[in-house]
Amino acid sequence: MLIKKEDVKFKAVRGGGPGGQNVNRRSTKVELWVKVADLPLSDLEKKRIREKLAHHINKEDELWVKDEEERSQEMNRDKALERLNQMVEEAL
């Protein structure tokens, strides 16, 4: 795993979709961000990330992912981090 929990900033928000009343009470949707410049990669690899994942990079040069499939914030955070790492590996 390239990116660790400590390396990202995250925000939990109320998600939509199925989940009954749980959706209205708990912030289970998770959004993760990590600065591309802070990734432990070479300059060439960072350039490749910026090119291949441009639609997941905001104006602040942060790579972002969201997840809201699970009913647990912790599970969504883990899945989003796993997805973020998978995206980076596939882009490289």
Side-chain angles (χ1 to χ4, degrees), residues 5-91:
K5 279 185 183 181
E6 304 84 44
D7 299 333
V8 299
K9 59 182 180 174
F10 83 96
K11 179 170 90 171
V13 295
R14 287 201 176 120
Q21 292 300 313
N22 195 49
V23 169
N24 298 328
R25 292 187 309 221
R26 302 190 65 216
S27 298
T28 56
K29 179 179 177 180
V30 173
E31 299 173 349
L32 298 179
W33 297 270
V34 63
K35 287 208 173 276
V36 176
D38 294 344
L39 294 174
L41 302 170
S42 70
D43 289 341
L44 180 61
E45 290 171 323
K46 289 176 188 177
K47 180 181 178 191
R48 191 173 298 146
I49 294 289
R50 288 183 180 106
E51 290 171 357
K52 293 194 175 187
L53 300 176
H55 58 284
H56 280 281
I57 296 176
N58 63 19
K59 293 177 185 175
E60 289 79 34
D61 194 40
E62 295 171 323
L63 183 59
W64 64 271
V65 168
K66 67 178 178 177
D67 196 292
E68 59 182 322
E69 292 179 18
E70 303 295 331
R71 293 179 67 176
S72 156
Q73 184 183 114
E74 188 64 33
M75 288 176 71
N76 281 333
R77 187 181 325 164
D78 291 343
K79 282 183 71 175
L81 185 60
E82 185 178 312
R83 185 166 168 235
L84 184 65
N85 276 294
Q86 181 181 6
M87 287 171 44
V88 168
E89 287 176 19
E90 288 176 3

